[in-house]
Amino acid sequence: MQTHLEPTRRQSPDASTSSLSANILSLARHHAGPPPPRIRLSIPASARWLALTSVLALAARATAQRPATAPAARDTLIPVAQLREDARIARMALVQSQVGRTWFQSERDFTAGFDALNRALTAPLRRRDFHRRLAPLVAALGHGHVTLERPVPSLRYCTRFLDSTAHYLPYALQIADRHVYITADLSSASPFSPGTELLTVDGVPTAALIDSIEHYLSADGRNTSFKRFQLGTDFRFHEWLDLIYGPRVTRMATVRRTNGATASRVVGFTTPREMMTRHVLRTGRAIDTFPPAVALTMLQPRAALLTVFSFWDGLLPKAQGTFETALTTAFRTIGDSGVTDLVIDVWRNEGGAGNYPPLLYSFVASRPFDFYGRTIVASDSLSWLQYAPDASEDLKAFAVTPQDFIERTADGLWQLKRKPDETSLTAPRTDAYSGRLFVLTDGGSFSAANVFVQGVATAWALGGRPAVFVGKENGGDSEAGKVSGGVQQTLTLPHSGERLTLALTTVVPRLGSVPVALAPVPDVRVLPNGLDIAAGGDPVLERVRVMIDATRQADARATRQRGVSPRR
């Protein structure tokens, strides 16, 4: 079963995501629009004064980036005074409320960047040009959940960054490091086959284009895998090709076919609506169709693949009920089938509800654990809230009486209050899986999925049975081990209409007294190439199959040497 999303229709959070009261859940609503498949991570709390904890996010930026459902204002020139006012508001909001603002950038560099922007604003600018000036300052913060979005009219979730009235490169793309592959040709010309590599656009190597575009994209720390994931999946390559190099109706493209031959042609750019129509005709599915959140497949006897595409309830088939029911059913099958090699696939999983990573981990844990430490906010002031008219009642209450929610700690930080007896310690399932574990990750394994990956890397290592990570670097920070998320709020700059999303809280993931490991580097790094895309294969899963077979053969040899018949 696959799900086709209608991102222009507002949906309510599923009551199964937590047991919180309605006023606490209101803080977890996706204020900037309907929940897409990548959403914020939230943790259950037990009282209203802990409401902010309930939306501890670490998950996908996408809920704060809604598709515009009405035409944006014409891209007319914005007067200098108004540009400077918008820049001032953005700066003020970041200083007041962006937790971890100086984790990856010094205060001096932050100040210098906004001062330079203010000095540069000496003439009126169009909205797209102001966006191009402000976006690098937001990206430089090093927070994947902190984003800047243009007010453009868009059509679907997957094309939410594309102006529905503009023309773009007519290819669906997949980025493998600095290689750009066409997964679907959506042009009006004779299509290039899937797996064709895009080498240059107007003579500029695509690797150089990637380098220039990444400067504008948000990610945790210095992570590049999440940025490259966005370039393909979210059509950000198309968006920034237009913003950096200007709108065009045609460009010259050079490609390398899967047989090694190169070709060049003038490519006619096309509108998002035309791309959506051709995507159905050429792939047989809508452009924004997604697999179910949880699916179990038996790979071979005693080997299973558990795919967790998302921690968002909206992608869970109704027949599966809740996430807990779906996972309980899956692991019951795993146990009944005598599985000794389990593959958990969080490839492209950009996050979701914060209680689901520990829930999933409880099925593979060997000891009680706690993924989350204290929750920190940047300050006790939200003076910018007037620019966020859709803020929840709980967030407004925080702005009026912050002392009801937070307290100063001995180290000078603002911390959400917790009850003295409150604990989030989670016990392993009585029938938890204890065999070999493989985890598949890529740049889209972000936020809540990253919390799960980091937890597995830490806890299994502490238990003396490390999991094997296969694929690409996930979307988390691999240097500082920090991530902001939690309560996210989008404000709209009054003159440009730019939507700035802030991450208001952070929780440093930990297991009791042990800090959770940094985002792990894959033990086995696997990148798809053009031939893999052309064949529709999964080279990452195939590599794991080979590893399972090799491990079993080694086990069988060791068993024979001990004079015991190997289990089949």
Side-chain angles (χ1 to χ4, degrees):
M1 173 183 176
Q2 292 192 326
T3 301
H4 175 67
L5 297 182
E6 285 282 355
T8 57
R9 183 176 67 252
R10 184 175 294 275
Q11 304 175 43
S12 298
D14 190 306
S16 66
T17 56
S18 83
S19 58
L20 303 180
S21 62
N23 63 332
I24 293 179
L25 274 175
S26 68
L27 194 59
R29 293 186 189 277
H30 313 295
H31 305 301
R38 287 79 93 163
I39 70 171
R40 305 202 194 316
L41 183 155
S42 59
I43 293 179
S46 56
R48 181 183 181 280
W49 61 298
L50 292 174
L52 294 183
T53 319
S54 71
V55 280
L56 158 77
L58 306 168
R61 77 247 183 243
T63 47
Q65 300 168 327
R66 65 175 171 89
T69 57
R74 293 182 58 191
D75 199 5
T76 54
L77 291 174
I78 304 173
V80 171
Q82 294 182 0
L83 293 172
R84 288 181 170 174
E85 175 68 4
D86 277 8
R88 183 194 68 78
I89 293 169
R91 180 178 186 167
M92 175 263 294
L94 289 168
V95 168
Q96 280 188 6
S97 300
Q98 178 50 51
V99 66
R101 182 173 55 84
T102 57
W103 285 349
F104 305 104
Q105 183 187 48
S106 69
E107 184 70 44
R108 177 179 179 181
D109 288 343
F110 174 85
T111 300
F114 273 92
D115 285 349
L117 173 62
N118 190 64
R119 290 193 301 270
L121 297 175
T122 58
L125 292 176
R126 292 179 301 162
R127 285 174 170 80
R128 59 181 287 130
D129 297 323
F130 180 62
H131 180 78
R132 199 170 63 242
R133 301 283 185 92
L134 184 57
L137 301 183
V138 176
L141 294 169
H143 295 279
H145 297 90
V146 182
T147 59
L148 187 72
E149 183 185 352
R150 294 188 300 151
V152 297
S154 57
L155 297 173
R156 295 288 187 184
Y157 172 71
C158 282
T159 59
R160 66 195 179 278
F161 296 107
L162 305 185
D163 185 335
S164 62
T165 66
H167 291 73
Y168 297 95
L169 183 72
Y171 304 132
L173 303 174
Q174 179 173 333
I175 315 298
D177 275 357
R178 296 165 79 234
H179 295 274
V180 180
Y181 296 103
I182 297 172
T183 59
D185 187 332
L186 309 177
S187 70
S188 59
S190 175
F192 290 122
S193 61
T196 299
E197 183 177 1
L198 183 62
L199 299 176
T200 68
V201 178
D202 279 352
V204 181
T206 49
L209 293 174
I210 289 173
D211 291 342
S212 62
I213 293 172
E214 286 181 347
H215 179 61
Y216 299 90
L217 300 181
S218 296
D220 288 341
R222 294 174 180 82
N223 183 289
T224 59
S225 60
F226 183 49
K227 293 186 177 185
R228 291 169 188 176
F229 173 81
Q230 297 174 63
L231 287 175
T233 302
D234 291 341
F235 286 83
R236 305 305 301 272
F237 186 92
H238 308 65
E239 175 198 20
W240 282 100
L241 182 67
D242 173 78
L243 286 171
I244 297 174
Y245 296 94
R248 294 283 294 275
V249 177
T250 63
R251 291 186 187 273
M252 177 65 72
T254 302
V255 302
R256 179 185 293 117
R257 302 180 189 273
T258 53
N259 63 6
T262 59
S264 298
R265 70 165 59 158
V266 175
V267 177
F269 279 26
T270 189
T271 66
R273 187 175 299 279
E274 291 168 332
M275 286 194 283
M276 289 163 48
T277 300
R278 293 186 186 122
H279 195 278
V280 174
L281 294 174
R282 294 179 180 172
T283 68
R285 60 181 178 84
I287 202 168
D288 51 356
T289 301
F290 303 95
V294 178
L296 179 66
T297 304
M298 297 303 296
L299 299 175
Q300 60 191 69
R302 298 183 293 110
L305 168 67
L306 178 64
T307 302
V308 185
F309 178 76
S310 175
F311 287 118
W312 178 50
D313 295 88
L315 285 179
L316 194 67
K318 291 183 179 179
Q320 290 184 316
T322 65
F323 258 87
E324 181 163 7
T325 300
L327 291 175
T328 299
T329 301
F331 277 93
R332 182 181 301 119
T333 301
I334 289 168
D336 293 345
S337 302
V339 169
T340 58
D341 291 281
L342 175 61
V343 183
I344 297 181
D345 181 2
V346 289
W347 188 279
R348 296 185 298 162
N349 182 331
E350 292 187 69
N355 48 333
Y356 295 154
L359 172 64
L360 174 58
Y361 183 72
S362 70
F363 287 95
V364 297
S366 60
R367 63 183 68 182
F369 63 93
D370 179 0
F371 272 3
Y372 305 112
R374 59 181 180 167
T375 303
I376 303 298
V377 300
S379 75
D380 60 349
S381 177
L382 296 177
S383 63
W384 49 266
L385 207 59
Q386 61 181 302
Y387 303 106
D390 59 352
S392 71
E393 293 304 314
D394 286 314
L395 199 58
K396 293 175 182 177
F398 174 89
V400 175
T401 56
Q403 65 272 14
D404 291 345
F405 295 84
I406 58 176
E407 59 189 358
R408 278 282 194 183
T409 64
D411 51 6
L413 300 176
W414 289 104
Q415 174 180 284
L416 288 186
K417 294 179 179 180
R418 302 185 70 173
K419 289 183 177 180
D421 59 346
E422 184 178 11
T423 177
S424 56
L425 198 65
T426 302
R429 299 284 166 148
T430 56
D431 55 350
Y433 173 77
S434 60
R436 284 186 291 262
L437 181 64
F438 302 83
V439 181
L440 310 187
T441 67
D442 76 334
S445 306
F446 177 67
S447 193
N450 180 54
V451 169
F452 171 74
V453 169
Q454 289 178 309
V456 169
T458 302
W460 276 54
L462 289 173
R465 48 176 190 149
V468 179
F469 296 90
V470 185
K472 294 188 286 188
E473 291 79 2
N474 73 338
D477 165 50
S478 59
E479 294 184 26
K482 299 179 179 180
V483 61
S484 64
V487 180
Q488 293 176 312
Q489 179 60 54
T490 299
L491 61 147
T492 301
L493 302 182
H495 305 297
S496 63
E498 293 283 303
R499 291 193 287 266
L500 174 63
T501 297
L502 304 174
L504 308 184
T505 64
T506 184
V507 171
V508 178
R510 54 192 309 110
L511 288 164
S513 62
V514 180
V516 169
L518 303 178
V521 176
D523 299 288
V524 181
R525 194 169 189 265
V526 182
L527 292 176
N529 56 35
L531 293 175
D532 296 320
I533 295 171
D538 187 340
V540 179
L541 185 56
E542 288 307 311
R543 178 65 65 88
V544 173
R545 289 179 185 270
V546 171
M547 296 170 65
I548 290 174
D549 288 341
T551 302
R552 288 184 172 185
Q553 290 171 10
D555 288 348
R557 286 194 298 269
T559 301
R560 285 194 296 270
Q561 290 174 359
R562 293 196 301 268
V564 179
S565 298
R567 181 181 178 184
R568 296 187 181 278

